[in-house]
Amino acid sequence: MIIPEFVREGDTIAVTAPSDGNKKEIDYLRLDMAKANIEKMGVRVVETSDVRQSIKGRSARADVRAKELHGVFADNKVRAVISAKGGDFLMEMLPYVDFDLIRDNPKWFQGYSDNTGLGFLITTLCDMASLYSSNFNDFAMDTWHDALLTDWNVLTGKNFKQYSFQRYQDGFIDYETGGEGYSSDKDVRWISADGKEHVEMEGRFLGGCLDVLLNLVGTRYDKVREFVCRYRSDGIVWFFESFNLSSEDIERGLWQLAEAGWLDNAKGFVFGRAAFFRTDTDTSYGEAVSNALSKFGVPIILEADIGHKPPQLTMINGMSGRLIYEDGKGCVEFYNR
């Protein structure tokens, strides 16, 4: 597994938009504030030309987005690449992406939601670790939440141990100043699907947004079974979160991943809080997950700090680690190897 070099003072971070870009004045303001905050840390920030535009949910044509991505990966001054936004159409750029170029120029790629379509493939196709964590504009906060401080510690290689948070934001907020923090209004409580008070799982972490991962199954980019086989001695701890899947979608989707061989050698499953959840069959989120995955006989954790209901832990695709759950709280520690 390739572990890219960590960000150091004087390095450059690039912001690019492989999915959607910024389109509102408040988005531009938050982008500028995020740049200023990171540059206070002694790191230069550059952005590609597609970051400040949005055309029907896309920052630019698919080939242009890929070209911008290639440019920042080929730039020896850039140490890490952070996605500007999520969206819906990152998959359009995949036919234009040169994964050999990315493999030959290792650096951190970070983003979440639709950016699963790139970060996950960088790990499974290039054997390179990537980060499932905040998109760039979150760094605009006047006072960084502990989640962002943790994210920065991971990017700079200072600390790989993270703890569940106290409270989370249940919905989305409208920004007025651009520097608002999370509107944390509900208590965080992780759930063990089988009711155990203490759970441990250890292995190589892999995952992202389930909505996006399901689009990759069976495509030419689907080399997950081979990846799982390469790291069979470690086993895989899968982490998932969903944006807009129903219980029925989740159960069918996890069945598909299992049948495709993705879940072979699974050591455990961790699910983040769902952004928009519904059911047509009176099946809860936990029931859908358990129906699909209990046959594997490994621990399942629900309601973890991952994904669309912030704050979120910084999950490292491809890196080994351990998760410990104890009475509603959790700790994730990654091993830098």
Side-chain angles (χ1 to χ4, degrees):
M1 179 61 57
I2 300 169
I3 307 297
E5 291 185 31
F6 295 99
V7 175
R8 299 287 184 263
E9 188 172 345
D11 283 343
T12 298
I13 288 177
V15 187
T16 192
S19 184
D20 200 1
N22 293 282
K23 58 184 177 182
K24 303 176 185 175
E25 288 302 320
I26 192 66
D27 293 335
Y28 303 144
L29 177 61
R30 294 185 71 220
L31 174 62
D32 291 336
M33 294 172 72
K35 289 175 66 174
N37 284 341
I38 288 181
E39 287 178 342
K40 288 177 184 176
M41 311 297 282
V43 175
R44 182 170 177 255
V45 178
V46 298
E47 61 181 83
T48 58
S49 61
D50 55 356
V51 167
R52 294 178 184 258
Q53 60 186 26
S54 175
I55 307 162
K56 294 188 176 181
R58 300 143 168 99
S59 66
R61 289 196 327 263
D63 59 325
V64 173
R65 284 178 267 159
K67 181 179 179 181
E68 299 284 14
L69 181 73
H70 295 159
V72 294
F73 263 92
D75 188 339
N76 291 330
K77 297 188 293 296
V78 172
R79 185 70 62 216
V81 180
I82 302 179
S83 181
K85 301 279 283 187
D88 296 286
F89 303 110
L90 183 144
M91 78 288 181
E92 294 175 337
M93 71 175 288
L94 294 179
Y96 302 97
V97 174
D98 185 343
F99 286 100
D100 290 333
L101 182 151
I102 291 174
R103 183 186 299 108
D104 293 341
N105 294 274
K107 53 199 62 178
W108 290 105
F109 175 79
Q110 173 172 314
Y112 84 104
S113 192
D114 200 31
N115 294 289
T116 296
L118 185 56
F120 183 84
L121 293 185
I122 287 174
T123 297
T124 55
L125 298 182
C126 303
D127 279 311
M128 185 188 304
S130 64
L131 302 180
Y132 193 73
S133 191
S134 298
N135 295 328
F136 189 77
N137 284 9
D138 276 2
F139 290 97
M141 285 184 197
D142 292 330
T143 301
W144 280 2
H145 187 280
D146 284 348
L148 294 177
L149 293 172
T150 298
D151 189 349
W152 188 253
N153 283 337
V154 172
L155 270 170
T156 54
K158 294 175 182 174
N159 191 1
F160 301 98
K161 193 170 187 178
Q162 307 172 59
Y163 296 90
S164 57
F165 302 103
Q166 295 300 312
R167 293 175 70 77
Y168 72 94
Q169 177 180 300
D170 192 36
F172 293 88
I173 64 172
D174 292 323
Y175 294 98
E176 295 180 1
T177 69
E180 291 92 345
Y182 300 131
S183 178
S184 300
D185 50 11
K186 288 195 175 181
D187 291 337
V188 168
R189 185 167 183 81
W190 294 16
I191 299 171
S192 171
D194 62 6
K196 291 183 179 178
E197 293 184 359
H198 181 87
V199 170
E200 294 190 24
M201 55 183 82
E202 189 169 21
R204 202 165 287 273
F205 281 69
L206 189 64
C209 183
L210 187 57
D211 311 46
V212 178
L213 293 173
L214 293 175
N215 293 147
L216 298 176
V217 179
T219 68
R220 57 178 143 160
Y221 310 102
D222 179 1
K223 305 298 180 183
V224 178
R225 195 167 191 171
E226 294 88 335
F227 180 90
V228 168
C229 184
R230 281 199 300 279
Y231 295 100
R232 68 169 69 87
S233 61
D234 300 320
I236 304 297
V237 175
W238 283 96
F239 63 91
F240 297 117
E241 55 97 12
S242 64
F243 178 70
N244 192 30
L245 297 180
S246 68
S247 61
E248 296 76 29
D249 296 328
I250 291 166
E251 196 164 339
R252 289 194 304 265
L254 292 173
W255 179 89
Q256 184 178 6
L257 296 190
E259 290 298 314
W262 284 35
L263 307 185
D264 295 351
N265 302 320
K267 290 294 189 69
F269 300 98
V270 187
F271 285 81
R273 296 177 285 266
F276 298 103
F277 174 74
R278 64 195 185 282
T279 178
D280 298 320
T281 56
D282 196 28
T283 303
S284 71
Y285 194 98
E287 287 173 329
V289 169
S290 294
N291 288 345
L293 300 179
S294 59
K295 64 184 178 184
F296 289 95
V298 298
I300 302 171
I301 298 297
L302 306 168
E303 296 291 311
D305 300 304
I306 303 170
H308 286 79
K309 289 191 175 182
Q312 60 177 302
L313 300 170
T314 297
M315 305 301 288
I316 310 179
N317 265 313
M319 192 177 277
S320 296
R322 179 175 64 162
L323 180 145
I324 299 175
Y325 162 88
E326 187 79 44
D327 192 26
K329 295 295 181 181
C331 170
V332 179
E333 182 176 10
F334 291 98
Y335 312 140
N336 184 15
R337 61 176 186 265

